[in-house]
Amino acid sequence: MTATRLPRGSVFLVEDEVMIRMMVADMLEELGFSIAAEAGEINEAMRLAQSAHFDLAILDVNVNGKVISPVAELIKARNRPFIFATGYGSSGVPEEYRDRPALQKPFQLEALAKMIDTALKGATV
């Protein structure tokens, strides 16, 4: 008899670098999450932020030179937790969202898992 791992939830992933997006998607699946939707540019991300069903979003701060703030606003309005991923450090996160969890790129599986747990616990409080 094999044990079946229960899904932990679904994630909306916004990342403009295809290879990074694939790597993060693999990491999420390893952690037991499914990928609800993926976007590599702002307009697509805004459309999906309004229509996709997801439990958590991971947002690249800078998507093809555009700041992710409009997408974050849509997700916040839907009362869904989200995490920023940035290569710019915490100063790269839009000022109005500096209270939100942020992962410094590049990140490891353990850091991603811890950040997801923090974001999901914060959403249920």
Side-chain angles (χ1 to χ4, degrees):
M1 185 194 236
T2 58
T4 306
R5 192 158 149 182
L6 294 174
R8 294 189 60 198
S10 59
V11 178
F12 171 38
L13 179 58
V14 180
E15 170 60 60
D16 58 347
E17 296 289 337
V18 176
M19 294 303 290
I20 294 173
R21 192 166 67 234
M22 289 170 55
M23 180 191 72
V24 175
D26 287 346
M27 293 168 84
L28 289 165
E29 288 172 358
E30 188 173 333
L31 291 170
F33 291 90
S34 64
I35 306 302
E38 296 180 35
E41 60 92 21
I42 292 288
N43 290 335
E44 180 184 17
M46 289 179 65
R47 180 181 60 78
L48 290 168
Q50 294 174 2
S51 63
H53 297 285
F54 57 90
D55 300 306
L56 170 77
I58 298 177
L59 309 174
D60 184 7
V61 170
N62 183 323
V63 180
N64 293 318
K66 296 180 181 170
V67 179
I68 197 70
S69 295
V71 178
E73 276 302 310
L74 292 170
I75 295 169
K76 181 180 174 185
R78 289 184 63 185
N79 202 27
R80 297 279 190 276
F82 56 92
I83 297 168
F84 290 107
T86 177
Y88 304 103
S90 61
S91 64
V93 174
E95 194 169 328
E96 66 270 27
Y97 295 111
R98 295 221 173 122
D99 62 331
R100 299 287 178 145
L103 277 165
Q104 173 68 44
K105 292 182 192 175
F107 50 84
Q108 300 295 319
L109 184 67
E110 297 77 21
L112 177 60
K114 185 182 285 189
M115 196 63 67
I116 289 171
D117 287 344
T118 298
L120 291 176
K121 282 179 186 158
T124 59
V125 173

